[in-house]
Amino acid sequence: MAKNGVSLPDNFSEMGMAGMAKVGLEMVAKIPPEDARPLLEELMKCVQAVPDPSNKSIIRNLIEDDTEEVITRLKLRGEVFKLHVDFSQPSQVRYPANHGGHCRWPGKL
């Protein structure tokens, strides 16, 4: 990121998790698309889908056809990013005991 002119503010360590997440998103936005694509793909590897909400025992990795709208992918990326940087805050999301530490989005988006 340094080659793209990204630098941390002097008070970065005092910004708290929300401030750091904001700076992180701003930094990612400055990365050229060809460099950002592998980072975004890696970020999304933890997302899983429950294709049939009535049968939550079937869980699989997210595939391209699970999301139709670009805005849905952007929202998912934002939520996954928040999950990774805001883990010390109390969660509003409740995961089943057997979720295995993966982030999930139920059903088709």
Side-chain angles (χ1 to χ4, degrees), residues 6-73:
V6 173
S7 60
L8 295 176
D10 292 335
N11 66 338
F12 184 73
S13 62
E14 302 165 8
M15 297 178 79
M17 290 308 293
M20 290 180 185
K22 181 179 181 288
V23 170
L25 287 172
E26 290 170 355
M27 292 170 62
V28 170
K30 293 181 180 181
I31 300 173
E34 62 274 6
D35 293 338
R37 190 173 322 278
L39 296 173
L40 293 172
E41 288 173 0
E42 182 68 26
L43 183 70
M44 295 298 287
K45 282 184 180 178
C46 77
V47 178
Q48 295 180 322
V50 178
D52 180 2
S54 67
N55 184 1
K56 292 185 170 61
S57 67
I58 299 176
I59 300 167
R60 61 166 170 69
N61 291 333
L62 195 68
I63 58 173
E64 188 76 22
D65 289 342
D66 287 331
T67 56
E68 297 175 5
E69 302 290 330
V70 172
I71 192 71
T72 303
R73 291 184 192 119

